Amino acid sequence: EGLLGDGGLLSTAGILGGSSGLLGRGGLLGNGGLLGGGGLLGVLGEGGLLGTVQGLTGLRIVELTLPRVSLRLLPGIGVHLNLYTRVALNAKSLLGLLDIAVEVNITSRVRLTMDGTGYPKLVTERCDTLLGGIKVRLLRGLLPVVDNLLASVLNRLLPNLLCPVVDVALGLVNDQLGLVNSLVPLGLLGSIQYTVSSLPLVTGQFLEVDLNTVVGQVAGGLVDYPLGKTEAVPTPPRVPMPPLPPMVDTSSSQLGLSVNFLSSVLSVLQKEGALDLDISTGMFPELPPLTTSTLGALVPAVFEAYPESRELLLKIAVPEAPVVTLKKNKGVIQLMATAEVMVIHPDDVQRSLCLLNINTSLLAQFSVEDNKLKIGVSLENVTKRPLSLLQVSLLEMLVDQIFDVAFLPAVNSVLGVGVPLPRLLNIDFTSADIDVMEVSAQAFPE
């Protein structure tokens, strides 16, 4: 019964021993003691903070700072995406709500594909996260002691939360890619359908997308049909698309338009009669009165046939589709028109007086406004040939004046409406630098 005896200081029933002793089951190291299972060390033990971290529940993102994004093209594959951001998360634990702040670096390998409907699409192949700068608040206090363990848990859980963020971002890009396949109006006269022809080419420097263009009339067949003939309409020979020149350092995109595309657009305008023009007295103040008296002063035979002055109507028509040629730094449009002079008799009866064939060569200037290709034309040269027996050499001077004052401005007004350009990832080509490249007229092989 001494100091070390059965009831002594260190005995099983003593002050340091036994179930109630200082170091016993109910003491300092006991299950309910300061350093025991429910004490300070218990916080880090089973059922404590370490166990809590292992069993995080209800993990959710409450704040995501604006990410820093970098992209690198992967030749033949798609894109390597790197995204850095700071994330604030909440999670439930046995000890209460955890507030977690963490820096996240997301790397993702994205493949460019074509879906079953012919739309280009970006698909995530692999997504990884790298964490750093973890800070945890529990019960409004700071617990930095569990960074490594928490990083391990978050590395396991966060990809399921953050990689879908990448998928959402890619979904927005895919929505923009889907807009490339579009049907856009060509004024009130027709439409242009842009479609991606094949899987886009990815190199280490650029992404190349080849488009088919189908130009159609409002109430008619297709004028240009690279995807297959739908009606027996003769078309001009195909002119190969030359390779695009290297992009300058200050440019991020290029768009090439073929001579066939431009010819198809003009063909729609011609078929719809948009290039035709009827001119009568008073329509253009710069012109003299269009009467038999005015014409008779130039051509005596007209005065002899119509001693009393009658109104004239000049009908300019374009019976054939214009032909577009592209030369170095110059576009040329060959246009054949007819100018028929009609005499208006009583009861508005019209009788043909003479008919001229007018073959013109127009210089084309190109510009882009409101993401539309605008074409302006000026006269390069013109030749005229009468188709009636009436001598019209003097009349040609009047026709020249009418052509300059009335017809060319009317053509420019039609072409000035513009040709809608394809929508490529919201790229706006307005005020773009335009290079006109010479192409060979050799047709594609059958």
Side-chain angles (χ1 to χ4, degrees), residues 275-278 315-320 335-340 407:
L275 304 179
D276 298 343
L277 180 65
D278 289 352
K315 301 174 71 69
I316 300 179
V318 181
E320 299 178 5
L335 184 146
M336 192 195 81
T338 60
E340 187 172 14
F407 182 70

Side-chain angles (χ1 to χ4, degrees), residues 4-294:
L4 301 178
D6 187 50
L9 180 65
L10 300 180
S11 68
T12 56
I15 188 171
L16 297 181
S19 59
S20 300
L22 182 62
L23 302 180
R25 286 180 300 172
L28 181 65
L29 299 180
N31 190 49
L34 178 62
L35 302 179
L40 178 61
L41 296 184
V43 173
L44 303 178
E46 183 179 355
L49 183 57
L50 296 186
T52 296
V53 170
Q54 295 288 353
L56 285 178
T57 60
L59 188 66
R60 66 189 182 94
I61 298 174
V62 295
E63 185 178 353
L64 192 67
T65 61
L66 185 65
R68 294 202 306 262
V69 180
S70 61
L71 298 174
R72 178 167 53 87
L73 293 176
L74 299 177
I77 298 175
V79 177
H80 179 273
L81 181 147
N82 184 269
L83 184 149
Y84 169 83
T85 185
R86 291 188 61 85
V87 184
L89 307 107
N90 283 343
K92 296 178 181 178
S93 71
L94 296 178
L95 299 180
L97 189 65
L98 290 177
D99 293 325
I100 306 169
V102 59
E103 297 179 5
V104 182
N105 200 56
I106 304 173
T107 58
S108 182
R109 174 182 164 125
V110 180
R111 181 173 291 275
L112 181 59
T113 65
M114 293 278 282
D115 66 15
T117 59
Y119 286 81
K121 186 176 182 180
L122 293 169
V123 179
T124 302
E125 284 191 334
R126 189 182 68 223
C127 180
D128 301 307
T129 59
L130 180 64
L131 307 183
I134 300 175
K135 295 181 180 179
V136 182
R137 290 184 182 275
L138 172 63
L139 303 177
R140 298 183 179 179
L142 192 62
L143 295 176
V145 297
V146 292
D147 281 10
N148 292 336
L149 179 60
L150 187 59
S152 174
V153 175
L154 293 179
N155 271 318
R156 188 176 70 250
L157 298 179
L158 278 185
N160 293 329
L161 286 176
L162 295 178
C163 286
V165 174
V166 176
D167 292 334
V168 171
L170 292 180
L172 298 176
V173 177
N174 285 331
D175 289 342
Q176 294 298 321
L177 286 174
L179 295 177
V180 177
N181 286 1
S182 58
L183 184 67
V184 293
L186 182 60
L188 301 175
L189 303 175
S191 62
I192 301 175
Q193 182 177 2
Y194 293 106
T195 56
V196 179
S197 62
S198 59
L199 180 65
L201 171 66
V202 182
T203 73
Q205 292 77 37
F206 59 84
L207 172 67
E208 182 177 297
V209 183
D210 289 333
L211 299 178
N212 281 332
T213 57
V214 181
V215 185
Q217 299 169 251
V218 169
L222 302 176
V223 177
D224 188 15
Y225 31 79
L227 300 181
K229 295 183 178 180
T230 59
E231 61 173 35
V233 178
T235 57
R238 292 278 176 194
V239 178
M241 185 75 178
L244 294 177
M247 282 194 295
V248 297
D249 294 337
T250 57
S251 177
S252 61
S253 58
Q254 279 183 321
L255 176 65
L257 299 176
S258 70
V259 67
N260 300 98
F261 171 69
L262 298 175
S263 296
S264 296
V265 170
L266 291 180
S267 180
V268 165
L269 299 178
Q270 179 267 327
K271 288 179 181 296
E272 291 292 334
L275 304 179
D276 298 343
L277 180 65
D278 289 352
I279 303 173
S280 58
T281 296
M283 287 182 61
F284 298 92
E286 303 90 339
L287 297 177
L290 295 182
T291 64
T292 54
S293 298
T294 301

